[in-house]
Amino acid sequence: MPKIELPPTKSSLRKLKEDLAFAYEGYDLLNQKREILAIEIVRKIDVIRKIETEFQDVLNRLYSAYRGAALDMGSDAVSLQSCFEMRGYYLHMDLTKFTGLKLPNFRLNLKNQIPAATLPPSSSAYDNAKELSRGALQILAQYATVTKSVIMLARELKKVQRRVNALEKIFIPQREEAKKYITDRIEEMEREEIFV
């Protein structure tokens, strides 16, 4: 006996067939969405790996530049100079649509640096380190964009997987069982009519 309680009539059978056709169509669409999401996650993970290697390279150069600036000016002077730096960027967030999701896109606009008038002029090593740190900020914005996209895509993939499993393991089998029961019952009633 099926878990769906429907009278064994032709109208119930027609409704079940319509529900099943709709469920199979939804199942196919969700499967396609699942594949697209998985492919996009893999693609973005490759981008993350490239950004991480690039960031590591920039970070190594940045640390060596700050070490050079600390040797030239002294570590206290570098700390003091960096505290008085004005913010040199604007962070913007745009949204791009992908399979019904709104994925963030962080952009970093760097503004021209105005040197602090109260402090003594900095060394060239400090200026070099400052420029490298601005480049590192750009890479961090890219990394944040791709990482947040992967997190959102993974959450969506999990939801789609749950829906696919619900259709595949619960909804469709129950409807198929009910369809078979109603079909058998209608055929039995027709045979009884013929016998009578």
Side-chain angles (χ1 to χ4, degrees):
M1 183 80 176
K3 292 181 177 120
I4 301 170
E5 296 295 329
L6 288 173
T9 61
K10 290 187 178 182
S11 62
S12 297
L13 184 62
R14 187 175 347 102
K15 182 174 180 347
L16 270 176
K17 286 181 180 178
E18 289 171 0
D19 287 351
L20 274 171
F22 187 69
Y24 280 121
E25 186 179 338
Y27 178 77
D28 290 340
L29 289 173
L30 285 172
N31 259 338
Q32 290 173 8
K33 184 175 181 177
R34 180 175 61 176
E35 289 173 10
I36 290 169
L37 288 171
I39 289 169
E40 187 65 18
I41 288 172
V42 169
R43 191 184 68 76
K44 288 200 180 284
I45 287 174
D46 287 341
V47 172
I48 285 176
R49 287 185 182 135
K50 290 175 186 171
I51 291 174
E52 284 175 345
T53 56
E54 184 182 349
F55 183 66
Q56 189 61 45
D57 179 47
V58 168
L59 211 55
N60 290 337
R61 286 188 281 137
L62 180 63
Y63 284 150
S64 67
Y66 268 121
R67 271 189 247 115
L71 286 174
D72 284 352
M73 299 171 54
S75 60
D76 291 338
V78 168
S79 298
L80 189 62
Q81 180 75 22
S82 64
C83 288
F84 283 102
E85 294 288 339
M86 296 179 68
R87 187 177 76 168
Y89 61 89
Y90 294 108
L91 184 64
H92 303 282
M93 186 181 83
D94 300 325
L95 296 174
T96 57
K97 290 186 179 181
F98 180 79
T99 65
L101 291 173
K102 291 182 179 178
L103 300 176
N105 182 20
F106 299 109
R107 288 183 299 113
L108 199 67
N109 292 341
L110 300 174
K111 52 184 185 178
N112 293 333
Q113 290 286 1
I114 301 170
T118 58
L119 293 175
S122 57
S123 69
S124 63
Y126 179 80
D127 293 338
N128 184 29
K130 188 166 64 171
E131 281 304 310
L132 285 172
S133 65
R134 288 168 58 118
L137 282 176
Q138 290 281 22
I139 295 172
L140 277 177
Q142 291 174 1
Y143 185 75
T145 297
V146 179
T147 305
K148 182 65 177 174
S149 297
V150 166
I151 291 169
M152 292 177 74
L153 289 170
R155 285 182 187 153
E156 185 67 17
L157 180 63
K158 192 174 180 181
K159 287 180 193 175
V160 169
Q161 183 63 42
R162 279 198 304 261
R163 289 179 184 143
V164 166
N165 286 342
L167 281 173
E168 184 178 23
K169 295 184 176 26
I170 297 170
F171 189 86
I172 292 175
Q174 284 180 353
R175 295 324 184 257
E176 286 288 350
E177 187 180 342
K179 179 180 147 191
K180 183 180 181 317
Y181 170 75
I182 291 174
T183 304
D184 291 346
R185 188 71 181 115
I186 289 174
E187 287 175 1
E188 185 179 325
M189 289 183 338
E190 286 175 356
R191 281 195 301 271
E192 284 177 3
E193 283 178 18
I194 290 173
F195 182 73
V196 168

